[in-house]
Amino acid sequence: MMTSSMLDRYAEVAGPEAVAGLHQMASRFDGQRVVHVNSTRTGGGVAEILFWMVPLMRELGLDVQWEVIEGDARFYEMTKSLHNGLQGRDIMIPPKWADAYHEANRAAAERLGPMLADADFVFIHDPQPAELRSLITDVRGHWVWRCHIDVSHPSRVAWKFLRPFVELYEASIFSMPQFSQAMTHSQFIIAPSIDPLSEKNIELPQEEIDNVRAQFELDPERPLLVQVSRFDRFKDPLGVIEAYRLVRRYAPVQLVLAGGGATDDPEGAEVLNAVQEEAADDPDLHVLFLPGDAHRTINALQRAADIVIQKSTREGFGLTVTEGMWKSKPVIGGNTGGIRLQVFDYGTGFLVNSPEGAAHRILYLLRRPNRIQKIGEAAREFVREYFLNTRHLREYLTLMLGLSHGITDRIFANGE
Ligand code: UDP
């Protein structure tokens, strides 16, 4: 059997059977062409996943490309609004935004058309490039729409716009059953995962963690709360600040809100401003705007934390939750979307519905260092079992095998 050094290293973390299984399944696809299309190479969970998935699929013998759809400012306004709408906010789609969406998809179809039409498998990620399937009519491979966002309660306007494009795919993938939609094609559930060997998640020397602490003037003697997120309202950074202020009445904690922008997210600057305004004049509240490649810095901040926070009000999955758990940290997570797949009360952290709830759970943990340690250890093992990229890759290969054999299993929304 073919082995390789990169995949062998995963065997050390996930077990040798996991890697052997991948080789076995992938041998069926040797040399087949796979194309992934999304809307950014940096920032946000999709880029984070493709960053390891593409090279690992290549190493397994597949011929894989990663392409990015691009557009003008109106396109990103439109797709951000669509994203907000799919996550439940009421939106409107002015005709000039819809035009920008069609224009960007037409330009991408022109540029990528021959490659996509000829591929054996095409994975289109999220709403931005979803129209591509309808613009490239003569295709030979299997086309799958992969939705990474929380579409449990989409706005009518947003779903009405997107659905005709999505229904043309052979299948779609959602992160959890609650996100599936009433559609006629096959729908599959695949939870995301992290790459344990990436710069974001690899073990770090204590010295490097200490240096990052010093760089951002964090006091090693006092407890640290960390939330890493794009500056996005659904990540509720202002709610985190509110929780931190409540905790501060009783414990001398410090808070880091760290994030950068994604190239496809035009709202980031506005949210960052609101957060900075709120945080002004508090030396223990650190708002860090980081470059897109600050993976080791984020890794060190998550490791420096006593408790990791992800107080989202909507969340497709929440890779930052997985990242914190992998670093043996209890996570205080918003009781929503994919965070519920990962965080269990008293098990791997706590699910919360309000700043008060978050403050209550943070104080509970801060007063019980043993619990912090026990829950942190359980969190790491939970990730090892369910949310490492070897499992994720196996499920992609299973889906690809299924599609090549013409499976028609479906799940339906509303238990139909
Ligand atoms: N991330 C990053 N830099 C930032 C903010 C986030 O590298 O400034 C990473 C974060 O570590 C995680 C991913 O981007 O790996 C965010 O994924 P998640 O599923 O948490 O949220 P999304 O941004 O996709 O909504």
Side-chain angles (χ1 to χ4, degrees):
M1 184 198 311
M2 192 196 90
T3 53
S4 60
S5 57
M6 189 154 91
L7 276 156
D8 283 347
R9 290 175 57 218
Y10 287 91
E12 287 163 26
V13 189
E17 324 76 48
V19 174
L22 290 177
H23 281 294
Q24 203 170 30
M25 291 175 87
S27 62
R28 166 75 180 67
F29 300 110
D30 200 31
Q32 293 209 2
R33 269 167 289 178
V34 178
V35 187
H36 291 275
V37 185
N38 83 322
S39 63
T40 179
R41 283 194 194 274
T42 53
V46 185
E48 195 80 18
I49 288 167
L50 292 178
F51 196 72
W52 61 258
M53 185 179 279
V54 170
L56 280 191
M57 278 187 163
R58 281 186 188 146
E59 191 162 325
L60 285 166
L62 287 81
D63 176 0
V64 190
Q65 300 298 325
W66 173 4
E67 299 294 337
V68 170
I69 186 171
E70 284 160 2
D72 58 14
R74 281 174 320 152
F75 172 68
Y76 296 115
E77 298 273 5
M78 162 65 181
T79 55
K80 180 69 194 194
S81 175
L82 197 51
H83 177 104
N84 291 340
L86 291 168
Q87 296 214 127
R89 206 177 285 164
D90 275 337
I91 59 158
M92 296 210 294
I93 301 183
K96 64 175 186 201
W97 283 11
D99 289 347
Y101 181 86
H102 300 312
E103 261 167 47
N105 272 274
R106 266 197 300 270
E110 205 158 297
R111 181 166 57 91
L112 306 173
M115 172 199 278
L116 294 174
D118 206 32
D120 296 288
F121 292 92
V122 176
F123 292 98
I124 300 290
H125 296 262
D126 277 348
Q128 298 91 335
E131 193 184 1
L132 281 176
R133 178 64 190 85
S134 72
L135 298 171
I136 302 172
T137 41
D138 198 9
V139 305
R140 48 173 291 274
H142 302 282
W143 282 60
V144 179
W145 184 61
R146 201 310 177 210
C147 176
H148 295 266
I149 55 192
D150 178 345
V151 283
S152 48
H153 302 96
S155 93
R156 206 177 51 80
V157 172
W159 186 239
K160 192 171 163 210
F161 179 86
L162 195 64
R163 181 182 171 151
F165 304 136
V166 170
E167 287 212 302
L168 296 176
Y169 287 74
E170 184 177 344
S172 47
I173 308 176
F174 297 91
S175 294
M176 58 195 298
Q178 288 80 352
F179 299 166
S180 63
Q181 300 293 321
M183 288 190 286
T184 48
H185 68 213
S186 305
Q187 298 178 53
F188 299 89
I189 305 302
I190 300 184
S193 66
I194 56 161
D195 177 355
L197 301 181
S198 66
E199 298 274 280
K200 178 75 53 68
N201 296 308
I202 197 94
E203 295 288 327
L204 295 180
Q206 187 58 43
E207 193 191 346
E208 189 170 343
I209 301 169
D210 293 342
N211 287 344
V212 168
R213 251 201 212 104
Q215 180 190 344
F216 295 116
E217 297 176 0
L218 303 170
D219 179 355
E221 304 300 324
R222 288 186 292 136
L224 177 64
L225 314 173
V226 171
Q227 173 161 305
V228 174
S229 280
R230 290 178 297 105
F231 288 97
D232 178 314
R233 294 202 188 277
F234 287 120
K235 309 287 184 184
D236 198 19
L238 296 176
V240 178
I241 294 179
E242 217 178 312
Y244 153 83
R245 294 221 162 107
L246 290 169
V247 172
R248 284 275 287 196
R249 294 185 193 165
Y250 309 98
V253 286
Q254 313 163 81
L255 172 64
V256 164
L257 290 172
T263 53
D264 61 345
D265 181 359
E267 275 176 12
E270 195 186 303
V271 178
L272 175 63
N273 280 344
V275 170
Q276 276 170 334
E277 226 164 80
E278 192 58 38
D281 306 328
D282 182 343
D284 285 330
L285 203 175
H286 304 259
V287 180
L288 311 179
F289 189 73
L290 301 173
D293 60 355
H295 302 301
R296 279 186 94 94
T297 308
I298 290 175
N299 185 344
L301 287 168
Q302 288 166 329
R303 287 181 192 280
D306 293 276
I307 298 170
V308 163
I309 310 213
Q310 191 55 59
K311 214 201 92 39
S312 308
T313 54
R314 281 276 190 276
E315 192 63 75
F317 182 67
L319 286 176
T320 53
V321 172
T322 336
E323 289 160 5
M325 286 168 57
W326 183 240
K327 285 148 198 149
S328 302
K329 308 297 170 180
V331 176
I332 307 281
N335 185 10
T336 188
I339 297 178
R340 287 172 163 166
L341 289 174
Q342 307 185 66
V343 175
F344 298 92
D345 285 350
Y346 299 94
T348 57
F350 290 101
L351 291 172
V352 297
N353 296 294
S354 64
E356 292 77 12
H360 174 68
R361 296 309 197 177
I362 292 165
L363 277 168
Y364 172 91
L365 286 170
L366 289 178
R367 288 171 177 154
R368 293 167 184 80
N370 282 349
R371 277 279 168 155
I372 291 193
Q373 199 192 337
K374 281 252 150 46
I375 291 179
E377 282 163 13
R380 179 170 169 98
E381 287 317 304
F382 197 68
V383 173
R384 192 194 305 281
E385 176 124 18
Y386 296 108
F387 299 123
L388 293 184
N389 56 354
T390 33
R391 185 274 309 157
H392 194 173
L393 207 45
R394 187 185 68 231
E395 291 185 348
Y396 259 73
L397 292 170
T398 308
L399 169 59
M400 288 162 63
L401 275 173
L403 292 176
S404 9
H405 290 292
I407 44 163
T408 54
D409 268 4
R410 288 187 208 142
I411 54 159
F412 290 96
N414 314 319
E416 278 171 58

